Amino acid sequence: MTHSMHRRTLLAGLCALLPARRVLAAQSLRIGTIGAGHVGSTLAGLWLRAGHPVMLSANDIASARAAAEALGQNAQAGTPQDAARFGDVVLLAVPYGALPSLGASLRDLLAGKIVIDACNPYPWRDGEIASTAREQGAGITTQSFFPGAHIVRAFNSEDMSTIRAEAHRPPPLLGIPYAGDDPAAMRTVGTLIAEAGFDPVAVGPLAAARLFQPGSDGFEADLTAADLRTRLHLPRT
């Protein structure tokens, strides 16, 4: 069997096993990460594996370069402004307390773009803004800093050590909740969750993201998609 025939057979098998909405997209998306630490580099590595070029960024450009070099081909480094310009999709992977200042500097660059918010508010670390986010919902608060962006909360509910260990595990896959207000952005992020090796669980609008922020039943739940839907009282699909 030739390589091309083998690949077609493999893809056909995937299509037979997965619901249509979870078949991996062939389209390559440029992904920028604001933050090149544990969260940014872990997710960047999974999306690179899926065929998406990634630019990691940090205020300390040297750390972004080191992370990109560790990830290899198709990973590059830049400033947060560079990554915001580069990405079709941009990942926020910084301490929550940094979001107000990032909003002030990047809001125009991110207007109209899909922005994945993987940041969690912790009052002990992030101060008053974290308390506000915990009270009104982190998704709604993040949206206020980037009013023109299509914010989707995702990948904030699991520790990155769990993400590393459980990506592409044998079925049933680990369920990853996500929430946002824009249907097109939700479809794109759902595909990126699937491509990273997880089962996407659409929770609802951005306000519903409080169901899987710290302190909620959906935070660090470590459940399959079916069990996560039960935990969050979502309809089964």
Side-chain angles (χ1 to χ4, degrees), residues 80-152:
Q81 289 77 15
D82 293 332
R85 292 187 187 96
F86 173 85
D88 301 309
V89 177
V90 175
L91 171 73
L92 298 175
V94 295
Y96 201 90
L99 293 186
S101 61
L102 284 173
S105 62
L106 300 181
R107 62 195 301 172
D108 291 340
L109 292 173
L110 295 179
K113 294 195 175 189
I114 298 170
V115 175
I116 300 174
D117 175 21
C119 311
N120 282 319
Y122 294 107
W124 57 266
R125 180 191 65 189
D126 302 309
E128 184 178 350
I129 192 59
S131 298
T132 299
R134 296 283 285 265
E135 290 169 7
Q136 71 178 17
I140 298 298
T141 306
T142 301
Q143 183 70 79
S144 71
F145 302 135
F146 305 92
H150 303 300
I151 301 292
V152 178

Side-chain angles (χ1 to χ4, degrees), residues 170-187:
L173 299 176
L174 181 69
I176 296 294
Y178 64 115
D181 291 337
D182 182 76
M186 286 287 284
R187 287 192 294 271

